[in-house]
Amino acid sequence: MSKIDALIAKDFKRFEVENNHFNSKHVCLVTGAGGSIGSEISKQLLDNNIKKLILIESSEFALFTINTELNKIKDDKDLGTEIVPLLQDVGDMVMLEHNLSNYHFDFVYHAAAYKHVNMLELNIASGLRNNIFGTRNLLSFLSGKFNSFTLISTDKAVEPTNYMGLSKRICEHVVLSHTKKNKEKLNIVRFGNVLHSSGSVIPIFEEQIKNGGPVTVTDPEATRFFMTIPEAITLVIASSSLGGSGNIYVLDMGDPVKILDLAIHMIKIAGFDYSFEKDKANTINIKFIGIRKGEKVVEKLSYSDHLNKTTVKGILLADEAKEKYLPIENIYKLLEKNNLQEIKRYLDAK
């Protein structure tokens, strides 16, 4: 972690949570285990010395990387956890059955998804089908095979203006619909940006500063919620200890941060002054590039301004009455037909 990373992370760290609801008999499954979110979930589960940790990842390199890292941690700490790396797409039902048919899971954390807003705007069908059908297939196959299931969601699922957010919004309702039909413990955790995740603005700004600028900011009024990855994941894991099912948990990410203020802060941490004038001597130029397709100026974490407290500090509960319902079966049919224009209608209406 660089000096900038460390100082920025310190600014956003707020909660200390102890996850002690695991034991040496627990079997856990993490999908998207090689991503920034899934890998941190995997590390924190391993630290609890559970019986078995099963990793699902569709990228061979990402799976190799996280498996190597976890085994080093395991050896260094002399842990007894069995780590099972599976090169697997959650949308592939045949391979799900081949790899997982003999398991029952105590905790499942579903982090696998396409998450990059701009890339999904260019690959709409792939993004929607991967995220939505992947969630549906995983739940369909795992029904009766787990004690607790947690979907990792995003603030972009609230009043979505892009296809990534829409896909995650629909995934939330895939989970909620499954809960009503199967009476299993399934919950959703929604949060905003985590520092230094893939595609995060932090490493982009850092690289731009390193190269002498300009630092590109979409809009002077743009704001985002931020939290460190370890802190966010500690709360995600803690949410699985809470009772109930069909809940949408929202992480308390504090006040939204102006992207412009963050850029200025990072420039100053790096030892430079900033300027809005191109090629001004001894400064890093800040350049406004405008909001791109699918982006918002301001993000929200819920459909209601009121969030209820839970027994875990840092985890809030969304008001179910304010969370609009999406007709899942209709959306499945539209996806199967690749009827993107009709799906776009949901994006505009919801």
Side-chain angles (χ1 to χ4, degrees):
M1 180 181 284
S2 71
K3 176 185 175 184
I4 291 178
D5 291 335
L7 290 171
I8 294 294
K10 185 179 179 182
D11 290 340
F12 290 104
K13 186 169 176 58
R14 285 182 293 274
F15 300 106
E16 295 286 347
V17 178
E18 201 169 306
N19 284 310
N20 53 13
H21 55 285
F22 297 98
N23 61 50
S24 58
K25 296 181 180 179
H26 283 148
V27 177
C28 298
L29 172 67
V30 181
T31 73
S36 50
I37 301 299
S39 60
E40 181 62 26
I41 293 174
S42 301
K43 291 172 191 174
Q44 293 196 23
L45 291 174
L46 180 62
D47 274 341
N48 283 275
N49 203 19
I50 58 175
K51 178 180 180 181
K52 190 171 296 190
L53 176 59
I54 299 177
L55 315 172
I56 285 184
E57 174 56 58
S58 61
S59 164
E60 181 190 30
F61 178 72
L63 184 63
F64 169 79
T65 302
I66 186 59
N67 184 57
T68 302
E69 189 172 356
L70 291 175
N71 274 286
K72 184 178 186 309
I73 294 170
K74 174 184 171 180
D75 292 343
D76 289 347
K77 295 185 176 181
D78 194 25
L79 302 173
T81 303
E82 179 185 354
I83 302 168
V84 182
L86 299 176
L87 190 59
Q88 155 95 59
D89 184 335
V90 292
D92 188 336
M93 287 290 279
V94 174
M95 288 304 294
L96 280 175
E97 184 170 3
H98 175 76
N99 284 322
L100 302 179
S101 58
N102 294 325
Y103 292 107
H104 183 280
F105 302 99
D106 296 286
F107 298 94
V108 176
Y109 298 92
H110 179 36
Y114 291 154
K115 301 182 181 79
H116 291 267
V117 169
N118 303 115
M119 190 56 65
L120 264 62
E121 291 298 301
L122 300 172
N123 297 275
I124 299 168
S126 296
L128 291 174
R129 292 177 71 87
N130 179 79
N131 292 358
I132 297 165
F133 284 160
T135 302
R136 181 193 68 174
N137 290 352
L138 187 66
L139 280 174
S140 177
F141 175 75
L142 289 181
S143 186
K145 295 178 181 289
F146 62 83
N147 296 337
S148 172
F149 182 103
T150 301
L151 170 72
I152 308 301
S153 191
T154 169
D155 55 357
K156 292 171 180 61
V158 179
E159 298 175 0
T161 57
N162 54 64
Y163 284 99
M164 191 282 274
L166 178 65
S167 73
K168 295 300 286 185
R169 178 67 176 150
I170 296 171
C171 286
E172 290 183 351
H173 283 273
V174 170
V175 170
L176 297 176
S177 177
H178 192 88
T179 304
K180 291 170 184 174
K181 291 178 182 177
N182 295 274
K183 308 299 181 185
E184 295 176 313
K185 183 181 177 182
L186 300 99
N187 291 301
I188 298 155
V189 181
R190 224 187 251 156
F191 52 95
N193 297 272
V194 286
L195 304 181
H196 229 279
S197 65
S198 58
S200 164
V201 72
I202 302 288
I204 293 173
F205 282 175
E206 189 171 8
E207 185 67 19
Q208 290 174 339
I209 293 167
K210 180 181 176 182
N211 293 332
V215 171
T216 55
V217 177
T218 56
D219 186 284
E221 297 303 318
T223 64
R224 294 293 183 267
F225 293 98
F226 287 99
M227 182 175 275
T228 67
I229 294 179
E231 183 176 37
I233 298 315
T234 298
L235 293 172
V236 166
I237 293 175
S239 75
S240 58
S241 68
L242 297 173
S245 185
N247 296 310
I248 299 179
Y249 294 116
V250 177
L251 301 191
D252 181 356
M253 305 194 74
D255 295 328
V257 176
K258 269 194 175 184
I259 299 298
L260 175 57
D261 291 345
L262 179 61
I264 291 171
H265 185 44
M266 289 185 65
I267 290 169
K268 288 182 175 179
I269 287 175
F272 299 99
D273 201 357
Y274 69 94
S275 171
F276 299 105
E277 299 174 31
K278 187 177 180 181
D279 299 327
K280 184 176 180 180
N282 302 316
T283 66
I284 298 291
N285 175 236
I286 295 177
K287 179 181 178 182
F288 296 112
I289 59 174
I291 294 293
R292 293 170 291 187
K293 184 181 178 183
E295 291 184 334
K296 295 179 184 178
V297 175
V298 176
E299 297 281 6
K300 295 175 62 178
L301 285 163
S302 70
Y303 280 84
S304 171
D305 292 333
H306 176 71
L307 294 167
N308 299 303
K309 291 182 179 180
T310 69
T311 54
V312 178
K313 187 178 180 182
I315 303 177
L316 304 170
L317 182 63
D319 185 348
E320 187 177 350
K322 300 290 185 181
E323 298 284 335
K324 302 172 187 177
Y325 177 74
L326 297 175
I328 296 303
E329 296 303 328
N330 290 349
I331 292 173
Y332 288 156
K333 292 175 184 176
L334 294 174
L335 279 171
E336 286 163 357
K337 296 176 181 178
N338 270 345
N339 192 337
L340 300 181
Q341 284 188 330
E342 188 64 15
I343 293 172
K344 177 69 165 64
R345 184 173 70 82
Y346 288 102
L347 178 64
D348 295 335
K350 306 297 182 183

